[in-house]
Amino acid sequence: MRVLVLGGGVIGVTSAFCLARAGAKVTVIERQHGLGLETSFANAGQISPGYASPWAAPGLPLKALRWLLQRHSPLSIRPDGSLWQWQWMARLLRECAPERYAANKERMVRLAEYSRDCLRHWRTDMDLRYEGRTFGTLQLFRTAEQLRGAAKDTAVLERCHVPYRLMRTEDCVEQEPALAPRADLLRGGLYLPGDETGDCHLFIQDMAEKARAMGVQFLTDTQVDQLLHDGQRITGARLITPHGAEVRLADAYVVAMATYSRPMLRQLGLDLPVYPVKGYSLTIPIADADKAPRSTVLDESHKVAITRFDQRIRVGGMAELAGFDHQLRDRRRRTLEHVVQDWFPQAGAMEQATFWTGLRPMTPDGTPVIGPTRLDKLWINTGHGTLGWTMAAGSGQLLADLLLGRAPAIRSDDLSLRRYAHGHRPRAMSAPSPQGKAAPGSLGGWA
């Protein structure tokens, strides 16, 4: 079977790898000059099944209003001139109902934990190199109120069978010794031992090399101009290459174009409810390893993650609803600097830091869209929001199994675009979360 994968980020590359390993002949189309140079390039570096939670949670609307008034706010909204921005936010608010949150949370945890298991199998089978660490994530609480809230909300983690440990200040310092000089800021923490870290961009390069060895072809500097169709099926993909225009034919076409998936599918009359949510990161060379974190710490107040790589620290956070805006804003940089200097003031060479921004493809319910469409030969694997790195391995494997007609390892019928059909209602697999409170991980992680 010939498969054309549109998009060379972490989702496109893992999809191509899984399809090729199952025997498909795969070509990946990427508009940039290299792979993983957009959303996947400099994310927070977390593989965080424990934080796989929808933004749309009970209590979020009031919490979001408070965030918008903060100096170092984790959320900002800039009108982008489109009606779609307001429609998307309205759809997100509807998903805050407890029964919808419960269904969405279960789907996300199901896929995230499956993805982590797939990645672990790959590490066993292959020599993967991406500066990976398996020390978990530590969520830091600055106030007693945050600690009390976490103690109540861990019921959500228990229902989803996610291992966790509530920690006192001294426990947090034992887990992350470099926090000791700043222990006065701490009131406690929530530790998720199953989480991992790693450089997503390095992972993409390594996986692409392994995919090439199986015959996958990567066409960079190539734009997908149009998907051709006859109203019932896709008949080809019109590409703009460095050598001119051409039409590529395949037996299946996979749209994994992150935030650009929506405009591509709108040409076909398909409504993919994905909005570009902007995030920022700093990458800081380590100046003193003993004063740097061992793994990832997440500042609950500012929703900023600080992740340790081999010789670098990645600081990622914020959600900016501003359309396809790639402007680097100094105010966001100051927030990232403020958080890392609060917790690890002597860890990195801040004057050498690099500042980055990227657009996350977010659905209103937080769950990605994976599966077939009403057009024959057309498949989707996108909409992972801030959890693309967390869900990449499992999403690629699930897409490959579905496309090639093999029984998937996890339930997948509620992950397709069909769930947005008129009259569809989510079916929860677990009890709803407590009324009026956002669960752990809501608007957190930015993985």
Side-chain angles (χ1 to χ4, degrees), residues 115-159:
S115 186
R116 181 193 56 207
D117 293 343
C118 288
L119 180 59
R120 288 175 175 173
H121 286 306
W122 292 358
R123 282 206 305 265
T124 300
D125 295 341
M126 301 179 287
D127 182 24
L128 295 178
R129 300 178 183 274
Y130 57 91
E131 300 186 16
R133 291 172 175 248
T134 57
F135 299 133
T137 296
L138 177 60
Q139 187 176 11
L140 303 179
F141 302 127
R142 294 173 182 258
T143 69
E145 180 184 4
Q146 290 173 345
L147 183 60
R148 288 192 298 269
K152 295 177 182 178
D153 290 339
T154 51
V156 177
L157 300 176
E158 291 177 0
R159 283 198 295 272

Side-chain angles (χ1 to χ4, degrees), residues 80-99:
D80 65 9
S82 74
L83 179 61
W84 168 239
Q85 181 186 38
W86 302 104
Q87 292 172 330
W88 184 87
M89 287 191 288
R91 293 173 79 164
L92 181 140
L93 291 175
R94 286 198 296 270
E95 295 293 333
C96 291
E99 68 279 2

Side-chain angles (χ1 to χ4, degrees), residues 63 66-67 70 74 139-154 166-167 185-190 298-304 343 437-441:
K63 183 176 284 190
R66 291 198 299 269
W67 284 333
Q70 292 179 10
Q139 187 176 11
L140 303 179
F141 302 127
R142 294 173 182 258
T143 69
E145 180 184 4
Q146 290 173 345
L147 183 60
R148 288 192 298 269
K152 295 177 182 178
D153 290 339
T154 51
L166 278 172
M167 289 184 162
L185 298 178
L186 261 175
R187 294 299 176 266
L190 176 66
L298 176 66
D299 186 306
E300 169 63 14
S301 296
H302 299 293
K303 304 297 183 183
V304 167
W343 297 113
K437 292 189 68 63

Side-chain angles (χ1 to χ4, degrees), residues 225-290:
D225 180 57
Q226 186 180 5
L227 285 172
L228 309 175
H229 66 101
D230 62 8
Q232 294 183 322
R233 65 183 57 82
I234 301 300
T235 58
R238 186 175 187 272
L239 310 178
I240 306 299
T241 78
H243 310 292
E246 65 174 74
V247 174
R248 286 266 176 155
L249 306 181
D251 301 304
Y253 304 80
V254 178
V255 176
M257 300 171 67
T259 54
Y260 297 95
S261 299
R262 175 175 168 80
M264 178 58 60
L265 293 176
R266 287 192 72 189
Q267 297 179 13
L268 306 173
L270 297 174
D271 180 21
L272 177 69
V274 164
Y275 188 83
V277 176
K278 186 178 180 182
Y280 296 85
S281 75
L282 283 175
T283 303
I284 310 167
I286 290 177
D288 188 334
D290 292 335

